[in-house]
Amino acid sequence: MSDTLNHAPADPSSASPPPSTVWKEKQSWLDVLPTPVAMAMLVAIFVAIWQAIHLSGLVSPIILPSPARTGAELITVGANLLSGGFVFKAFLVTAQEVVFGFAMAIVIGVTLGIVVGETHFGERAVMPLIVAIDTMPKIAFAPVFVAWLGFGIASKVALAAFVAIFPIVVGVAAGLHAADENSRMMFRSIGASRWQTLRRLKIPAGLPQFFTGLKIAAIGVVAGAITGEFLGGGRGFGDLIRTAASQLDTARVFALIFYLSLLGLATYWCVVLAERRMVFWRRTNAVAGGGR
Amino acid sequence: MTLSAQATAPAGHSPRPVYQLHGVNKSYAQRNVVALSNVNLTLHQGSFSSVIGSSGCGKSTLLKIMAGLQSPSEGSVMLDGKPVLGPREDIGMMFQQATLLPWLTTLENILLPIEIRSGRHSARAALDKAHTLLELVGLKGFEAVYPGELSGGMAQRAAICRMLIGEPKVILLDEPFSALDEINRDFMNMELQRICLQANATAFLVTHSIAEAVILSDVVHVMSPRPGRFVEAFEIDLLRPRTLDMMTTPEFGAYVHRIRDLLGKGALS
Ligand SMILES: Nc1ncnc2c1ncn2[C@@H]1O[C@H](COP(=O)(O)OP(=O)(O)OP(=O)(O)O)[C@@H](O)[C@H]1O
Ligand SMILES: [Mg+2]
């Protein structure tokens, strides 16, 4: 039938093929840059400005040491850390505080979070109290913990945990509300008990929020441990930083802070790795959701 | 050809009643809403009934009451001669969304009702049945796939398997395919008919689509809103198994026309 519509290619003899309309979409060269290059570029600019300020002589080297001097100190401190010197011992102390503090925060935070998220009583009575305490500057409690637990590791663990508990409670409580109404109804219709619904539906559905809280807590726990060391002494990294600062050795302070940040980064990465393992199903969803 | 809601069984079906609702009322105290008013309904073994009505007229409320997920304010709901006082194993339910758990594979999702009710061991024993069901709905080979990788239609088919794994006597469907596109939806409706005929299950479907109600049902109940009540029941006298081609026949058109007429009047009153 020649009179019906068809989608076959046009008769080649009738006309020349249509012109190609392939065109290049504009994109900023900054967006095209590979990520490592982009990051290295930013660091380079930062160091350049730093060096410029140093060369200008406007700022005393006691306040702002040169990049070269800081780099040298970075190597000295790093060598000491790797060879098991005093920096390494201090690192172990602080790492211990972070690990114990984080573990304690998770245990207490998850328990409180389940009470708040699962029970009406918790939501009405416990949550307002938690919010009230959360709005206080928790660091201000450091002297209290030192008075209660002494100058040893215990007072730092307590402060670190204290700082980290709240985001975990909020993450767990919010997560337990994440399962949608239809899934809950489905669970009821198949006769699931409250415990089964919690374990098989609400907890897995709440894991993404739980991990969001955990990431915030991972940052807070290091800050808590260091603050505890600043205010309560001990033999950790905080003490090294305080000593170096009191000797006006700013380059060393910078180097110590750099290695301290590695501790925070490591804690954060542990959480991210755990999240990837446990919330594996979310990435496929995110892809299905699409969009940038 | 119309008959009152509590009238006799449609021709060609054994008259044994499965579901019996008498004088069911439901009001929500906090907002002073009467969602259901004096609903009487009898579903017969192996029949397919549907209920159609405007949005908010109480269809989902009715289904939840029938499933034992909510209590009526007044009235009685009996299934197989026993009162419905909570969720029961002989009721299978399906919702508008597939509600598959994204952290379980398709197979694990399908076995979930068994696992919840009678533990891991029984779930393992039901593996063969799960495979058979997956094959029945054309999901063979997707056992180990996570729901995030299934299309909407595939997810709903998995949800059908999950509903059927406990071999329910009655299945309650709340707009199960309304999230699907029309082509998929027609296809799924025919699948649903085939599955119900094969299992001789009693089915009750909530829908917004007149055509869907007519092509699937032996009886279509029409509800009117505020308060939600049954106004009329249409017996659909088309041959089984129904096919999509029947949707172009004049008989089909006549049913659709009469139901639409009634709904139009109901919306005005
Ligand atoms: N938990 C509740 N509390 C108070 N009112 C409710 C509740 N659930 C439903 N209602 C009310 O009851 C009425 C019927 O609701 P229902 O969900 O059964 O309607 P529906 O027919 O399923 O509507 P749709 O077709 O939109 O799904 C509505 O007016 C609704 O506002
Ligand atoms: Mg509804």
Side-chain angles (χ1 to χ4, degrees):
Chain A
M1 286 274 183
S2 57
D3 56 341
T4 56
L5 268 177
N6 71 71
H7 294 274
D11 186 6
S13 64
S14 65
S16 58
S20 162
T21 62
V22 176
W23 54 286
K24 209 172 156 91
E25 293 172 41
K26 267 203 191 112
Q27 223 178 349
S28 159
W29 64 272
L30 273 174
D31 293 335
V32 182
L33 234 60
T35 308
V37 177
M39 282 165 72
M41 199 181 72
L42 273 185
V43 171
I45 291 173
F46 175 75
V47 173
I49 294 174
W50 182 1
Q51 180 71 19
I53 294 174
H54 173 72
L55 288 177
S56 73
L58 287 174
V59 183
S60 140
I62 292 176
I63 292 170
L64 187 68
S66 71
R69 166 97 181 73
T70 309
E73 198 60 36
L74 215 52
I75 291 166
T76 316
V77 172
N80 191 300
L81 185 65
L82 290 179
S83 63
F86 68 96
V87 179
F88 178 72
K89 290 194 184 101
F91 190 84
L92 272 192
V93 170
T94 304
Q96 232 173 55
E97 293 163 4
V98 166
V99 170
F100 289 155
F102 204 26
M104 212 166 115
I106 291 174
V107 171
I108 299 174
V110 168
T111 312
L112 278 177
I114 288 179
V115 169
V116 169
E118 256 300 279
T119 68
H120 201 53
F121 169 80
E123 200 172 339
R124 284 180 310 142
V126 181
M127 193 59 189
L129 287 178
I130 287 178
V131 171
I133 300 173
D134 193 22
T135 54
M136 300 177 191
K138 286 167 283 292
I139 300 303
F141 284 83
V144 181
F145 285 123
V146 173
W148 286 347
L149 300 168
F151 290 94
I153 182 174
S155 57
K156 285 81 179 178
V157 171
L159 186 66
F162 187 57
V163 172
I165 279 173
F166 298 93
I168 298 178
V169 176
V170 173
V172 171
L176 290 178
H177 289 290
D180 63 296
E181 191 54 43
N182 281 314
S183 303
R184 285 163 202 254
M185 206 145 66
M186 189 269 287
F187 261 73
R188 281 182 56 209
S189 78
I190 61 175
S193 66
R194 183 175 181 174
W195 166 246
Q196 283 174 320
T197 308
L198 180 68
R199 210 178 74 74
R200 301 300 307 271
L201 174 66
K202 289 188 182 180
I203 289 179
L207 282 179
Q209 256 119 325
F210 168 65
F211 276 108
T212 304
L214 220 50
K215 282 183 214 163
I216 301 171
I219 296 162
V221 79
V222 179
I226 290 297
T227 313
E229 288 174 349
F230 281 167
L231 298 170
R235 301 178 179 285
F237 238 64
D239 188 54
L240 290 188
I241 293 174
R242 205 182 42 171
T243 310
S246 68
Q247 292 163 354
L248 298 181
D249 191 351
T250 317
R252 169 154 298 186
V253 172
F254 283 172
L256 287 167
I257 290 176
F258 176 80
Y259 289 111
L260 181 65
S261 72
L262 291 187
L263 181 61
L265 218 58
T267 318
Y268 190 85
W269 263 100
C270 287
V271 176
V272 171
L273 287 183
E275 183 180 21
R276 284 203 187 153
R277 277 193 70 89
M278 294 175 76
V279 199
F280 64 93
W281 42 271
R282 211 158 186 235
R283 268 177 296 165
T284 50
N285 269 10
V287 171
R292 330 187 273 166
Chain B
M1 236 185 267
T2 68
L3 52 143
S4 71
Q6 59 270 64
T8 51
H13 282 279
S14 69
R16 189 172 76 82
V18 179
Y19 246 116
Q20 287 173 298
L21 277 72
H22 283 291
V24 170
N25 286 317
K26 177 73 184 181
S27 38
Y28 290 106
Q30 67 265 46
R31 287 207 284 125
N32 215 358
V33 184
V34 180
L36 291 175
S37 160
N38 192 29
V39 170
N40 296 295
L41 174 70
T42 303
L43 301 184
H44 296 274
Q45 167 62 38
S47 69
F48 197 117
S49 318
S50 51
V51 57
I52 191 160
S54 55
S55 185
C57 72
K59 304 182 296 292
S60 298
T61 306
L62 175 65
L63 219 62
K64 281 182 217 160
I65 290 174
M66 290 171 76
L69 296 172
Q70 271 185 1
S71 167
S73 311
E74 271 175 66
S76 96
V77 181
M78 305 286 280
L79 172 56
D80 248 356
K82 284 168 286 188
V84 175
L85 299 171
R88 280 172 48 165
E89 284 190 29
D90 43 4
I91 303 173
M93 202 165 175
M94 201 168 152
F95 305 95
Q96 190 167 347
Q97 278 86 30
T99 63
L100 299 177
L101 303 182
W103 51 87
L104 299 182
T105 62
T106 305
L107 189 64
E108 288 166 338
N109 262 296
I110 289 168
L111 291 169
L112 185 74
I114 307 258
E115 204 184 321
I116 293 279
R117 281 185 190 130
S118 17
R120 232 160 254 258
H121 192 76
S122 310
R124 206 162 307 130
L127 262 177
D128 277 346
K129 204 158 82 188
H131 283 292
T132 314
L133 281 171
L134 278 168
E135 206 171 334
L136 180 77
V137 301
L139 278 180
K140 196 174 155 66
F142 288 90
E143 291 84 358
V145 167
Y146 286 92
E149 295 163 43
L150 297 180
S151 74
M154 289 158 88
Q156 280 298 27
R157 275 184 266 167
I160 293 182
C161 295
R162 184 181 58 193
M163 174 181 73
L164 293 176
I165 190 104
E167 292 179 355
K169 289 208 188 69
V170 292
I171 57 182
L172 305 176
L173 308 143
D174 194 349
E175 303 180 33
F177 309 130
S178 61
L180 302 185
D181 61 82
E182 204 177 329
I183 297 169
N184 251 308
R185 187 177 170 154
D186 283 343
F187 175 74
M188 293 301 294
N189 280 332
M190 290 301 109
E191 291 287 286
L192 183 63
Q193 173 185 234
R194 189 170 61 92
I195 290 165
C196 287
L197 287 178
Q198 195 170 344
N200 193 27
T202 310
F204 190 61
L205 168 80
V206 165
T207 178
H208 273 139
S209 158
I210 301 175
E212 180 176 278
V214 172
I215 199 68
L216 283 173
S217 313
D218 301 311
V219 184
V220 177
H221 299 273
V222 176
M223 270 182 93
S224 92
R226 278 170 298 271
R229 60 193 188 279
F230 279 22
V231 286
E232 201 156 345
F234 293 83
E235 189 182 322
I236 309 297
D237 227 349
L238 299 172
L239 284 175
R240 291 235 182 240
R242 312 261 170 90
T243 60
L244 291 174
D245 290 338
M246 288 184 184
M247 293 174 101
T248 54
T249 61
E251 294 100 302
F252 179 89
Y255 285 123
V256 170
H257 185 79
R258 284 166 52 201
I259 295 173
R260 175 165 296 137
D261 243 24
L262 185 66
L263 280 171
K265 269 186 251 156
L268 291 178
S269 68

